[in-house]
Amino acid sequence: MPNNHYYRHHFDANLSSNLGKVLKINMHLPVSLFIGLRYSQSRKGNAFISFMTLFSVAGILLGVMALTIVSSVMNGFEAELKKRILGVIPHLVVHTETENADWQAQLRKQAGVQDITPFLQTEALVQSSRQLTAVMLQGLEPEHLPQFLQQSLVLGNWQTLSEQRYSVMLGRGLAQQLEVYVGQQIRVMLAQGGSYSPLGWMPRQRLFTVAGIIDTGSEVDELIVVTAQQDLARLLPERERKTAWRVSLQEPFQAPLLGTQVASMPNISQVQDWRQSHGKLFAAVAMEKAMMWLMLLLIVAVAAFNIVSALVMMVTEKQAEVAILKTQGMTDRALFLVFAIQGLLNGVIGAVFGVIAGILGSWQLNNLLALTGMQVAGGIELPVLMNLPQIFSIFVSAIGLTLLAVVYPAWRAVKINPAEVLRDE
């Protein structure tokens, strides 16, 4: 059996060779970076360490990919809700004390304000020959309709509201519930402003003709009734005919901030925003996005901390070389960076390829679902909206978790005592 002198001679020869390579390459790379990259590229040694390293890289890749795809789908879902619901209901409703319109000129100068139009809205009951239901009745000027609402008309013509008195547009869901079609009449009743008759209390009511059908693809279709502003004003009690103003914004989520500014303007009595009717829905979507982000980020965290196991075993295997490097004068900082770089490289590889896979997966998600037979019922495509700043934050989060994971193994390498390790060599 070879003696200790043989092992020492063989180890010293290898170390001298390695240090020679380090010094040669050091003309181009720092020593810590070179040794860290060399350890990462090494295929010799413990196969279990290589498996753990590969497992951690694959875990980070899959976690980042899943987080990118799910975040893109949730962004698309939120964007569709914003378009289909907030494209119909007013972003801001402004009530004024006087007819002074100076505030409008001041508000139009604000960035993101698209339009300011007259607006009336009230709750009402609608009755057909077979059904009775509560609705949200809006009075609008056909020449100043929100763009999405204009595009949502599937039957009829918006100009009919101006040309034919007491005509309405119904949401598709509401029309199906009432079992009415274009050309038929419905009775619209208001609770306020009624009067007593020999038959008892009679609400304000009038027959309206269905002139068109609206399809927004959202729950609003089951509630929305649109008529001309002057027709609704005639139906309302005189004390409630005062026109409010509908403010349409480029970014509806800016409505609360802008609403606060409008409320501070003179002659403004009340400002309402979309959160009063649909705020809970969008708050629930935001909460769901946050929870999905957290759960999938935990997958990345578990994969990143698998690097701890691989690096600890690597430090144990390389402790003889670490001890000799310390005796040769390598500082604790440089030695710390050797193993930090090795672990960080694994995290960067997993995160980079995870982002690439996530972007490609998001781009072709609906095609992949169709190919695997996992399409949503009815062939509906999932909405996908990739947000580059969000994807970058996913990448940075994965790298940050990796940095936390490499601290302990690198610190263990720094704490190795060369005298104890080399005592038996």
Side-chain angles (χ1 to χ4, degrees):
M1 177 179 289
N3 56 24
N4 288 339
H5 177 73
Y6 169 81
Y7 283 122
R8 181 179 297 176
H9 175 76
H10 183 70
F11 186 82
D12 289 346
N14 285 338
L15 182 61
S16 299
S17 175
N18 290 337
L19 286 177
K21 292 179 182 178
V22 172
L23 293 175
K24 183 177 181 180
I25 301 298
N26 192 36
M27 297 174 61
H28 307 286
L29 292 175
V31 175
S32 299
L33 178 60
F34 173 75
I35 298 176
L37 293 176
R38 183 175 176 277
Y39 282 171
S40 298
Q41 297 169 1
S42 176
R43 294 294 180 268
K44 298 180 180 180
N46 195 325
F48 185 68
I49 297 178
S50 300
F51 171 77
M52 288 294 297
T53 301
L54 180 63
F55 183 78
S56 60
V57 172
I60 293 174
L61 187 153
L62 292 174
V64 170
M65 180 185 71
L67 190 52
T68 302
I69 293 175
V70 171
S71 297
S72 298
V73 172
M74 293 299 296
N75 290 340
F77 178 65
E78 184 180 59
E80 284 294 310
L81 281 179
K82 187 190 300 184
K83 180 181 75 173
R84 296 181 182 277
I85 294 180
L86 300 186
V88 177
I89 67 173
H91 303 157
L92 284 176
V93 177
V94 180
H95 299 267
T96 58
E97 296 175 352
T98 65
E99 298 298 328
N100 190 338
D102 291 343
W103 66 272
Q104 294 187 31
Q106 187 177 351
L107 185 58
R108 290 181 191 275
K109 297 178 182 178
Q110 297 284 341
V113 176
Q114 291 182 325
D115 202 5
I116 303 175
T117 57
F119 178 76
L120 284 176
Q121 178 173 289
T122 187
E123 295 178 349
L125 287 176
V126 173
Q127 183 183 27
S128 67
S129 59
R130 298 185 179 182
Q131 299 290 338
L132 175 69
T133 187
V135 298
M136 179 175 62
L137 181 59
Q138 291 187 357
L140 304 174
E141 292 183 350
E143 298 79 14
H144 298 96
L145 293 170
Q147 183 178 3
F148 179 74
L149 188 58
Q150 293 181 31
Q151 299 170 352
S152 299
L153 189 67
V154 293
L155 285 176
N157 191 314
W158 284 111
Q159 292 305 316
T160 307
L161 297 182
S162 300
E163 299 168 357
Q164 180 180 340
R165 290 183 62 181
Y166 299 112
S167 56
V168 293
M169 304 294 184
L170 302 182
R172 182 188 291 273
L174 179 60
Q176 292 174 349
Q177 184 178 349
L178 294 174
E179 301 180 19
V180 295
Y181 306 95
V182 174
Q184 292 184 321
Q185 288 189 323
I186 58 174
R187 185 177 300 276
V188 177
M189 298 176 286
L190 303 181
Q192 63 271 34
S195 59
Y196 286 99
S197 71
L199 299 178
W201 174 261
M202 297 295 293
R204 297 181 72 89
Q205 56 183 297
R206 181 172 286 277
L207 290 176
F208 281 74
T209 302
V210 178
I213 302 296
I214 303 167
D215 186 5
T216 66
S218 70
E219 63 181 21
V220 176
D221 289 338
E222 300 178 1
L223 298 171
I224 186 74
V225 176
V226 179
T227 187
Q229 181 188 348
Q230 61 269 25
D231 292 339
L232 179 55
R234 294 190 192 100
L235 182 61
L236 286 169
E238 185 174 355
R239 64 179 182 275
E240 297 185 17
R241 293 177 184 175
K242 189 174 182 180
T243 301
W245 298 90
R246 176 186 187 130
V247 181
S248 298
L249 306 177
Q250 186 174 358
E251 175 49 66
F253 287 172
Q254 295 296 323
L257 178 61
L258 190 61
T260 303
Q261 299 176 11
V262 174
S264 63
M265 296 180 180
N267 300 321
I268 301 298
S269 59
Q270 186 181 14
V271 178
Q272 299 170 308
D273 62 58
W274 59 265
R275 293 181 305 169
Q276 295 177 338
S277 59
H278 288 81
K280 292 182 180 179
L281 173 63
F282 284 90
V285 172
M287 177 65 71
E288 187 176 0
K289 284 180 63 177
M291 293 306 298
M292 292 295 291
W293 173 282
L294 178 60
M295 287 188 294
L296 292 174
L297 192 62
L298 289 177
I299 297 176
V300 180
V302 170
F305 280 91
N306 280 335
I307 295 175
V308 175
S309 303
L311 281 183
V312 167
M313 288 187 288
M314 177 66 76
V315 169
T316 303
E317 183 181 286
K318 301 291 185 181
Q319 61 181 349
E321 294 184 22
V322 170
I324 294 176
L325 287 172
K326 294 187 75 171
T327 60
Q328 293 291 327
M330 178 172 277
T331 63
D332 289 346
R333 179 179 178 275
L335 190 59
F336 183 94
L337 289 176
V338 168
F339 292 95
I341 288 170
Q342 182 186 357
L344 185 60
L345 180 63
N346 295 331
V348 169
I349 292 173
V352 168
F353 283 98
V355 166
I356 294 173
I359 291 175
L360 293 176
S362 300
W363 177 40
Q364 295 294 327
L365 180 60
N366 288 297
N367 293 333
L368 291 173
L369 291 177
L371 187 64
T372 56
M374 298 172 60
Q375 268 187 307
V376 181
I380 300 173
E381 292 190 349
L382 289 175
V384 177
L385 179 62
M386 285 183 279
N387 187 324
L388 292 181
Q390 187 179 58
I391 293 174
F392 179 73
S393 68
I394 293 172
F395 175 80
V396 171
S397 299
I399 299 302
L401 290 171
T402 304
L403 282 172
L404 291 176
V406 302
V407 170
Y408 174 70
W411 175 79
R412 279 197 58 172
V414 170
K415 294 302 180 180
I416 288 177
N417 188 341
E420 294 181 0
V421 174
L422 299 177
R423 180 174 53 194
D424 299 325
E425 293 293 338

